[in-house]
């Protein structure tokens, strides 16, 4: 039993580390892309159709699950929730 527990703990540590590294790389890359983009002329196209409420609710549930699992911090969760509700 201790060997099994050690294996499970090792897997959890590896998965947590991989998630943290992946998130950090994504944030750094997003920052680089944002810095490279030039301001664009305003677009006068029609605004995109608003997603239906069921879609937003499902996305909020997914965000909540990610926060519960520890994938998202409180600040990241709040930022993503704000973006979702503004859309």
């Amino acid at each position: 039993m201790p060997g099994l527990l050690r294996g499970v703990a090792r897997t959890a540590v590896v998965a947590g580390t991989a998630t943290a590294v992946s998130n950090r790389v994504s944030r750094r890359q997003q920052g680089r892309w944002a810095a490279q983009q030039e301001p664009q002329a305003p677009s006068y196209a029609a605004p995109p159709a608003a997603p239906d409420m069921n879609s937003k609710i499902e996305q909020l549930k997914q965000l909540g699950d990610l926060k519960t699992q520890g994938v998202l911090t409180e600040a990241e969760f709040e930022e993503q929730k704000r973006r979702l509700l503004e859309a």
Side-chain angles (χ1 to χ4, degrees), residues 15-62:
T17 302
T19 300
V21 169
S22 174
N23 288 340
R24 183 165 186 258
V25 168
S26 294
R27 275 186 248 122
R28 287 179 61 199
Q29 187 64 40
Q30 188 176 27
R32 287 180 184 162
W33 287 340
Q36 290 176 354
Q37 288 181 350
E38 295 180 18
Q40 298 176 351
S43 173
Y44 296 104
D52 64 346
M53 187 55 71
N54 290 336
S55 173
K56 284 187 178 186
I57 291 172
E58 185 61 35
Q59 290 175 340
L60 284 171
K61 286 180 183 178
Q62 290 173 353

Side-chain angles (χ1 to χ4, degrees), residues 67 72-81:
K67 181 182 167 218
L72 293 177
T73 65
E74 181 69 29
E76 291 170 331
F77 172 76
E78 291 299 325
E79 174 65 19
Q80 292 300 323
K81 182 174 78 170

